[in-house]
Amino acid sequence: MSFVDWLVFFQEKGQNYRSLFDLSGAGMPIRTIIEPFRIKSVEPIRWTTREQREQLLRAAYYNLFLLPAGDVLIDLLTDSGTGAMSTHQWAAVMEGDESYAGSLSFVRFRDSIHDIFGYKHVIPAHQGRAAERILFSCMCKKGDVVPNNTHFDTTRANVEFVGAEAVDLPCAEAKQPSINRPFKGNMHVGALEELIARVGRERVPLVMLTITNNSGGGQPVSMENARAVSDVCRKHRIPLYFDACRFAENSYFIKLREPGFADRRPKSIAQEMFQLGDGCTMSAKKDGMANIGGFLCTNDDLLAQQERNLLILTEGYPTYGGLAGRDLEAIAVGVEEALDEDYLRYRIASTGYLGNHIAEHGVPIVQPPGGHAIYLDARAFLPHIPADQFPGVALANELYLEGGIRSVEIGTLMFGPNAKLDLVRLAIPRRVYTQSHIDYVIEVILEVWNRREQIRGMRLTYEAPFLRHFTARLEPVVGRPSNNTVIEKTATRG
Ligand code: F0G
């Protein structure tokens, strides 16, 4: 089915799909959506045989993090720092001013960010988690509580590192992977009110809103929800901060799905949303369209001073924050490019095309497709593999074996036995893969889907004491899957 057929097919399916993915509402005629760029520099990717991949998997202890990247054909491990820069960004890189203090590149970086985000202070950092560490170190103390629609792992870890409690307050629909709603990234506003009433306003130093909600399936937050959260924060005089990693994708979803925004430019939607808050943290490795970098923003003068002091201690002087001048230039151009409508139209359509196409064949995914990634529901995909045999790892390994595709498990291996879901995330790097690459990914997933009964579970042979998914070693379970496999812990071996 070509992209045009697919679009017509989904438009015929009725209002549900139409309202979520109808690009004609955004001034888009029904034609093939092409990559809005041409390719000036190419990076070869390497084919391997199935036998080679079997060997490579064995050598990597069935953990895709341990694979050499050169042996991966299509790498969907993350959309973070893996994007392609534009000619304008590469040209700007040559303008990088590497002065230690007062760099001209910082001025361009600050002005470009200020134009979109609107906050008074812009502080560079080497990536998102550095911005988070500085923000929470300055704002939180032991015993505090930080609500978020859903904390990303590093955000949660940085809140907990200062002794505060990270509380996820996703909306009710977010807990049901298969239901199709436009803004499953929303925060549960009633739960926020209840939390503040229960713990007391003094223990909540800030509220965070993650746009889009990565850990919740890459789902967007509506303007209406951001406004409601902002109203609660203002009422209680609690600052609201955005985790803005994928702010441009979130803005485009609002344009497509929220009444009253169809004629607005993504940039003005982003500006309106940021006005609802008091600052943000940002990983420029996502919608900054850069390979490294981040920043934090605030309107609070005193806080900014404390943040800069901490920055100098661990990241660098406030006009470079651990980045080279050339990185600041790439980000200054990148944040603008991320808001380009042609780019966003292609980006969202391409991810939706992948998700809807496999879903149409029965493959269980988190619905609807997110902005930066598709999440396969591994428990529903492989119902014969119990959670303690890591269905997500088994499925991710199978996608590599079948077609050289690397994805990432977000489930029992990553979060431990209490994981609520076992998902496999296929994150799409920005401007890197073409429609034919995506078609190839669809073919591979469907081939694995067709022989899903033959896939076996996995067992751990080594795990580190924390963040075990990065270095874990596994092996296939031999024989029939059972519910009582003992997970071997041999932390001293290997
Ligand atoms: N917040 C969100 C929502 C993220 O998705 C990430 C990173 C961060 C913060 C931290 O940013 O990596 O620059 O330090 N997400 C990546 C991913 C790693 O694969 O989803 P960072």
Side-chain angles (χ1 to χ4, degrees):
M1 193 187 256
S2 75
F3 187 76
V4 178
D5 296 338
W6 169 81
L7 205 59
V8 170
F9 173 81
F10 277 100
Q11 293 209 330
E12 281 169 357
K13 274 203 138 184
Q15 193 54 38
N16 196 16
Y17 285 108
R18 193 173 310 147
S19 59
L20 294 182
F21 282 96
D22 182 5
L23 298 161
S24 63
M28 183 68 198
I30 298 184
R31 286 204 199 107
T32 299
I33 293 177
I34 59 169
E35 289 78 18
F37 49 80
R38 52 187 183 182
I39 296 165
K40 185 165 251 173
S41 178
V42 297
E43 186 182 2
I45 50 178
R46 192 172 93 87
W47 288 95
T48 47
T49 63
R50 193 184 171 93
E51 290 70 41
Q52 286 171 327
R53 290 195 292 278
E54 274 168 13
Q55 258 180 3
L56 285 158
L57 263 185
R58 218 173 301 127
Y61 300 95
Y62 300 91
N63 180 346
L64 300 181
F65 277 107
L66 303 180
L67 275 180
D71 294 323
V72 174
L73 186 69
I74 310 268
D75 203 344
L76 307 182
L77 184 67
T78 179
D79 64 320
S80 179
T82 50
M85 293 215 292
S86 68
T87 48
H88 298 298
Q89 284 178 293
W90 282 112
V93 159
M94 285 305 291
E95 302 265 4
D97 172 2
E98 306 302 342
S99 305
Y100 188 95
S103 158
L104 293 177
S105 298
F106 173 72
V107 175
R108 285 190 279 268
F109 170 87
R110 184 197 60 200
D111 292 351
S112 173
I113 289 162
H114 187 263
D115 183 37
I116 298 163
F117 292 73
Y119 300 120
K120 192 168 167 196
H121 302 279
V122 178
I123 300 175
H126 82 270
Q127 63 183 86
R129 65 198 72 182
E132 291 163 4
R133 188 187 63 80
I134 289 169
L135 178 72
F136 300 131
S137 300
C138 293
M139 290 196 84
C140 303
K141 60 181 185 322
K142 200 165 172 342
D144 283 348
V145 177
V146 180
N148 196 323
N149 41 350
T150 311
H151 289 83
F152 181 68
D153 329 6
T154 59
T155 324
R156 169 176 292 279
N158 276 299
V159 168
E160 290 172 355
F161 189 69
V162 295
E165 187 189 348
V167 179
D168 291 342
L169 302 175
C171 63
E173 309 95 75
K175 293 171 193 148
Q176 293 164 274
S178 60
I179 81 164
N180 209 326
R181 294 283 184 282
F183 291 106
K184 284 171 82 177
N186 283 352
M187 181 178 269
H188 194 307
V189 182
L192 175 65
E193 285 272 30
E194 274 169 37
L195 180 83
I196 297 168
R198 184 164 53 80
V199 304
R201 185 236 153 263
E202 315 68 47
R203 282 181 63 202
V204 185
L206 77 163
V207 172
M208 284 207 90
L209 204 48
T210 305
I211 55 170
T212 58
N213 188 350
N214 183 12
S215 309
Q219 304 292 328
V221 174
S222 69
M223 190 69 83
E224 189 187 18
N225 185 252
R227 227 178 267 132
V229 170
S230 173
D231 287 347
V232 172
C233 291
R234 298 254 148 99
K235 186 172 86 188
H236 294 280
R237 295 188 320 284
I238 299 173
L240 171 63
Y241 279 73
F242 289 96
D243 176 341
C245 294
R246 298 177 181 86
F247 74 96
E249 290 170 8
N250 201 89
S251 300
Y252 196 68
F253 277 124
I254 289 176
K255 180 181 172 83
L256 281 183
R257 298 179 183 173
E258 192 161 349
F261 288 92
D263 297 329
R264 295 271 298 277
R265 302 198 67 75
K267 183 170 174 176
S268 93
I269 297 174
Q271 288 166 330
E272 181 176 334
M273 183 164 278
F274 290 130
Q275 271 176 17
L276 299 170
D278 301 279
C280 70
T281 57
M282 170 78 185
S283 167
K285 300 172 74 172
K286 284 92 170 168
D287 278 350
M289 311 294 263
N291 300 118
I292 193 70
F295 52 87
L296 69 162
C297 294
T298 183
N299 282 334
D300 182 329
D301 295 341
L302 184 63
L303 180 66
Q305 197 174 32
Q306 291 166 344
E307 289 175 342
R308 287 198 183 97
N309 291 342
L310 193 55
L311 190 85
I312 292 174
L313 197 66
T314 58
E315 291 278 307
Y317 192 73
T319 57
Y320 74 87
L323 294 170
R326 64 182 78 101
D327 299 324
L328 298 171
E329 295 280 356
I331 297 165
V333 178
V335 285
E336 273 290 336
E337 288 186 352
L339 288 164
D340 178 84
E341 268 195 73
D342 289 341
Y343 158 72
L344 283 169
R345 184 183 301 127
Y346 135 83
R347 169 84 176 151
I348 300 303
S350 177
T351 311
Y353 173 70
L354 166 59
N356 287 324
H357 214 114
I358 56 176
E360 177 203 324
H361 285 83
V363 177
I365 65 166
V366 175
Q367 286 283 12
H372 69 293
I374 296 299
Y375 296 68
L376 307 178
D377 181 346
R379 284 188 198 171
F381 197 114
L382 301 171
H384 58 287
I385 300 182
D388 67 0
Q389 289 184 9
F390 307 107
V393 178
L395 179 54
N397 276 322
E398 213 57 36
L399 296 176
Y400 178 70
L401 204 57
E402 184 67 41
I405 297 166
R406 176 156 68 173
S407 52
V408 65
E409 186 252 20
I410 302 186
T412 307
L413 183 62
M414 188 178 273
F415 299 123
N418 296 329
K420 293 192 187 74
L421 298 168
D422 275 284
L423 304 176
V424 171
R425 186 182 76 171
L426 303 155
I428 319 290
R430 292 167 181 77
R431 303 189 292 207
V432 169
Y433 295 116
T434 63
Q435 198 60 43
S436 62
H437 290 115
I438 299 291
D439 279 327
Y440 172 85
V441 172
I442 291 170
E443 284 164 21
V444 171
I445 294 171
L446 294 181
E447 275 156 34
V448 172
W449 173 243
N450 288 336
R451 56 174 183 74
R452 57 193 179 278
E453 285 92 6
Q454 296 158 21
I455 299 171
R456 289 174 300 167
M458 309 295 299
R459 93 170 103 237
L460 268 173
T461 60
Y462 164 77
E463 63 174 313
F466 47 84
L467 294 174
R468 65 177 182 173
H469 54 288
F470 289 121
T471 54
R473 295 176 177 187
L474 301 103
E475 63 186 19
V477 172
V478 184
R480 284 169 60 78
S482 81
N483 280 319
N484 53 8
T485 303
V486 178
I487 297 178
E488 208 184 328
K489 287 194 185 178
T490 51
T492 49
R493 203 201 306 170

